[in-house]
Amino acid sequence: MSEPPAPDGLEVAEVDAASSPGECQDGAYSTLDRKEYGIYNWYLGDGAYPAGMTHLQALEYFEGSIGRITASTNNCGLTDQVPAKSHYAGTTTYEADVSANTCTARDGKSTWDAGDLATGTVASTCAWTWPNPFGKNDLREADVRFNIADFDFTKNPTSTCNGLYHDVLNTGTHEAGHIFGLGHVGSGHANLTMYTKADRCEVKKRTLGKGDVMGLRSIY
């Protein structure tokens, strides 16, 4: 089983999307050496949640984030050709195995929760795989943590957003992309879900761009 040297983190930054192609014109993507060959069974941590959400709200928004990846949700008219699946397995007392800039020991449960991360990191994903000589490595566990120690989150950014908030669905959809094998795209691709940075009050990562969908299709 391979251990990731560091989490896949979403960083905060002011994003100049105007200098990048539109989400439906940009076909850029990168993929990681992992794939969910079966069903991604995930758990909800029993601690604090972003945006002060209740347990039921956290379930709704985290499940919605994952579903945007497994359904290839987009505004570009691209059909869902990705057979990736997920299943909510319940609440757990286990925590996401993410600490600052490192992934801690795997505990066997794919947990979504909130806590402290490295300064400047909005959220992180840690994933563990088993080697597969015939294709991408087989996903065994993937944990996600939102950084509520340094950032405020909101369930619904509005036109009056004051720049202090990060959208839960925007953030969660990006992290779910990592779970199912998508890597970051960098400078010049700011309108894609897997762009490496997120602006405050941003919501465009809620739906996938052309490159995000093409990346998933290349894996699945």
Side-chain angles (χ1 to χ4, degrees):
M1 182 176 66
S2 60
E3 295 280 343
D8 297 304
L10 178 63
E11 300 177 353
V12 62
E14 292 186 9
V15 176
D16 181 14
S19 63
S20 298
E23 61 179 327
C24 297
Q25 286 73 49
D26 193 347
Y29 66 84
S30 70
T31 62
L32 305 167
D33 190 11
R34 58 175 173 258
K35 176 180 178 178
E36 176 54 82
Y37 288 90
I39 299 175
Y40 174 61
N41 292 294
W42 66 281
Y43 295 80
L44 187 62
D46 65 351
Y49 306 119
M53 294 189 297
T54 66
H55 176 275
L56 288 177
Q57 288 172 332
L59 172 57
E60 176 187 356
Y61 278 76
F62 292 170
E63 196 165 43
S65 298
I66 296 167
R68 280 162 167 74
I69 297 297
T70 58
S72 297
T73 303
N74 67 89
N75 295 320
C76 306
L78 299 170
T79 59
D80 180 18
Q81 301 178 17
V82 177
K85 295 180 175 63
S86 69
H87 170 70
Y88 170 60
T91 307
T92 180
T93 58
Y94 286 53
E95 296 184 352
D97 302 316
V98 188
S99 177
N101 286 320
T102 62
C103 298
T104 57
R106 171 177 175 258
D107 59 24
K109 290 188 183 294
S110 296
T111 304
W112 284 55
D113 68 9
D116 192 11
L117 293 172
T119 301
T121 301
V122 181
S124 284
T125 298
C126 279
W128 293 261
T129 61
W130 283 355
N132 178 8
F134 304 106
K136 287 184 177 294
N137 289 339
D138 187 4
L139 182 70
R140 307 309 299 170
E141 178 183 339
D143 298 355
V144 173
R145 172 160 290 173
F146 288 68
N147 184 358
I148 58 173
D150 299 314
F151 298 104
D152 293 323
F153 287 86
T154 178
K155 303 187 295 293
N156 185 29
T158 66
S159 60
T160 59
C161 179
N162 61 9
L164 297 176
Y165 301 100
H166 284 278
D167 178 53
V168 174
L169 281 176
N170 190 78
T171 304
T173 303
H174 176 94
E175 296 307 320
H178 287 314
I179 290 170
F180 289 94
L182 292 178
H184 281 142
V185 292
S187 178
H189 307 290
N191 291 308
L192 296 178
T193 296
M194 298 313 298
Y195 181 58
T196 187
K197 302 180 186 297
D199 216 341
R200 293 175 175 88
C201 306
E202 178 187 278
V203 296
K204 61 191 170 188
K205 288 181 172 61
R206 287 182 171 194
T207 55
L208 308 188
K210 179 180 178 180
D212 305 308
V213 175
M214 293 300 106
L216 287 170
R217 289 181 180 180
S218 78
I219 301 169
Y220 296 91

